[in-house]
Amino acid sequence: YRSGIPAGCDGCKTYNKTGDEGNFTHDTSVVMSGSHSYVVTIMSEGGSSAKIAAIERAIQTVINPPKP
């Protein structure tokens, strides 16, 4: 159950709860990343854990942008 948000947030501490039913894939998590903490919920119809991980990686580029 760690292939969604936790997989998309390398080096983060996460406390997540997934939910899968039929064609629905959801993941919600408390995320601690560096000096930032936040809660994120990603809900999808027809999505996958891999797509949820990709969304979390995109969030991380905003929360913790790469150093120049």
Side-chain angles (χ1 to χ4, degrees), residues 2 6 8-14 31-34 38 56 60 64:
R2 311 277 302 158
C9 196
D10 190 39
C12 298
K13 185 175 274 193
T14 59
V31 179
M32 291 185 282
S33 175
Y38 58 95
E56 179 57 29
Q60 279 300 303
N64 292 308

Side-chain angles (χ1 to χ4, degrees), residues 4-16 27-42 52-65:
I5 294 170
C9 196
D10 190 39
C12 298
K13 185 175 274 193
T14 59
Y15 303 93
N16 73 308
D27 200 352
T28 191
S29 184
V30 174
V31 179
M32 291 185 282
S33 175
S35 63
H36 304 284
S37 296
Y38 58 95
V39 175
V40 62
T41 299
I42 303 170
I52 289 174
I55 293 168
E56 179 57 29
R57 279 190 288 280
I59 291 168
Q60 279 300 303
T61 64
V62 174
I63 300 293
N64 292 308

